[in-house]
Amino acid sequence: MVRHFLTLRDYSSEEIRQLLEDAKVLKRKVKAKERFRPLEGYSLGMLFEKRSTRTRISNEAGFAFLGGHAVFLSSADIQLGVNESLLDTSRVLGRFHDLILARVYDNATVQTLAKESGKPVINALCNLYHPLQALADVVTIEENLGSIAGKTIAWIGDGNNVIHSLMIIAVKLGANVRIATPKGFETNKEITEYCQAIAGNNGTEIFLTTNPTEAVSGAHLIVTDTWISMGDEAQKEARLKAFEGYQVTRKLCEAAHPDWKFLHCLPRHKEEVDDDVFYCDRSLVWGEAENRMCTAMAVHCFLLGKTVLQ
């Protein structure tokens, strides 16, 4: 059976831990310029309906380090479902590539690619999930604060794809999540209930509020993201008004754990977090961005059945 990486819901806590530990080993190999080419002769097809800096570079450079070759296809190169049906495109890509990565608007698109291509598919972002980002976040957390188990993560902002994946991985690994969103911008109800059930079994908590200070209380990690995702530009003014009071500032962070750290998956806008927090020594955003590559590489190897040697 072909294994995909569409959502962390499909992965056990043990499999997630393997990916994280493999990523840490791969990061050391990259730093040491160690020759490690288990994917020589393999091809990665990358479909991007939505533009990206970190997702493209991390996957393209990481796959090359592993010895493979990546082919980038933007919306200008291939219009899914316009010049050719998604079903037909999926089947063609499966004939050319060993692995397919897709950064798209709709979760249904990655589901179709996975069903019809016959090859492993990586969800590099859709409207519901961003699992690659969640892996990078946890590696960053563990590099700076030790095991994520028992830690408390505070999310301040939009109930979007990033927090969906982050709370899935957090509850599977034994962390608490406290989420503050304005009314009307809550996390997906079904995904939240799924996470609450796991948290209940693990003795951890998913806490929901509209009050950022309440969410930050005692948190080891404070996390935010853009308030205006690609595709939401027409709602910009309404969203900026709805998110008033949700900017991450030093004053807000006073309620957090004394050793709090800050994460943001980038790109960042000043309304989300001020310079005093974003550029301070508690901000882990640059290491977080760097860790996108080693975690992507771990997924590449896992899906293609390649062991990451110590």
Side-chain angles (χ1 to χ4, degrees):
M1 186 180 77
V2 177
R3 193 77 188 272
H4 305 286
F5 189 75
L6 306 183
T7 167
L8 290 162
R9 294 174 70 151
D10 299 334
Y11 283 70
S12 67
S13 57
E14 292 78 16
E15 288 173 325
I16 292 170
R17 176 51 60 191
Q18 178 186 335
L19 288 170
L20 294 170
E21 297 309 314
D22 284 353
K24 294 171 187 177
V25 172
L26 287 164
K27 184 174 182 178
R28 291 196 293 270
K29 291 180 183 295
V30 171
K31 292 282 191 183
K33 301 293 184 185
E34 179 182 332
R35 184 176 174 83
F36 182 63
R37 301 174 68 82
L39 302 186
E40 194 160 4
Y42 285 78
S43 175
L44 168 67
M46 305 195 307
L47 277 68
F48 279 59
E49 286 186 333
K50 303 179 80 169
R51 66 187 181 273
S52 169
T53 300
R54 283 148 294 278
T55 299
R56 177 179 178 180
I57 294 171
S58 60
N59 281 278
E60 198 166 321
F63 205 74
F65 181 89
L66 295 168
H69 176 70
V71 178
F72 175 76
L73 296 166
S74 72
S75 56
D77 301 308
I78 181 170
Q79 294 179 295
L80 288 175
V82 179
N83 296 326
E84 183 175 50
S85 72
L86 175 58
L87 186 151
D88 292 358
T89 298
S90 300
R91 293 182 177 179
V92 168
L93 289 172
R95 299 297 181 103
F96 291 128
H97 300 293
D98 302 290
L99 184 62
I100 297 169
L101 176 141
R103 182 179 171 91
V104 297
Y105 285 96
D106 197 331
N107 184 54
T109 301
V110 292
Q111 296 289 339
T112 299
L113 282 165
K115 180 182 177 183
E116 300 295 342
S117 69
K119 297 295 171 63
V121 172
I122 298 172
N123 178 3
L125 178 144
C126 69
N127 59 316
L128 288 180
Y129 303 111
H130 198 353
L132 288 175
Q133 182 64 55
L135 287 177
D137 289 350
V138 175
V139 168
T140 308
I141 291 167
E142 296 198 334
E143 285 178 335
N144 290 273
L145 293 175
S147 173
I148 189 174
K151 300 296 190 299
T152 297
I153 299 169
W155 176 268
I156 310 299
D158 192 18
N160 63 14
N161 48 10
V162 176
I163 181 54
H164 290 161
S165 289
L166 184 56
M167 69 174 165
I168 291 169
I169 198 170
V171 296
K172 288 196 172 193
L173 297 179
N176 303 291
V177 184
R178 302 174 66 85
I179 300 171
T181 58
K183 287 185 178 179
F185 297 91
E186 297 88 354
T187 51
N188 175 278
K189 184 174 185 291
E190 190 275 330
I191 296 172
T192 303
E193 289 175 350
Y194 167 83
C195 291
Q196 287 172 327
I198 296 174
N201 291 334
N202 290 347
T204 56
E205 179 188 35
I206 298 285
F207 177 82
L208 306 174
T209 181
T210 58
N211 185 328
T213 302
E214 193 174 24
V216 164
S217 179
H220 301 86
L221 285 306
I222 301 169
V223 192
T224 191
D225 184 24
T226 183
W227 299 343
I228 306 160
S229 297
M230 280 178 274
D232 294 333
E233 290 84 358
Q235 306 170 27
K236 179 176 181 179
E237 293 307 317
R239 280 177 167 265
L240 289 176
K241 184 172 178 59
F243 284 89
E244 286 179 1
Y246 279 76
Q247 185 188 48
V248 177
T249 63
R250 282 278 188 173
K251 182 169 180 55
L252 177 65
C253 296
E254 289 174 0
H257 186 277
D259 192 30
W260 63 269
K261 306 294 182 186
F262 175 76
L263 293 173
H264 191 304
C265 66
L266 307 178
R268 164 257 187 172
H269 307 93
K270 284 191 175 182
E271 63 265 21
E272 301 147 8
V273 52
D274 68 10
D275 286 351
D276 197 26
V277 172
F278 187 74
Y279 292 111
C280 77
D281 58 4
R282 293 173 180 264
S283 176
L284 307 179
V285 298
W286 312 119
E288 180 184 11
E290 179 185 0
N291 287 332
R292 289 295 306 278
M293 188 167 85
C294 64
T295 46
M297 292 165 66
V299 174
H300 300 159
C301 290
F302 182 90
L303 293 179
L304 293 172
K306 303 300 181 181
T307 301
V308 177
L309 301 175
Q310 297 297 317

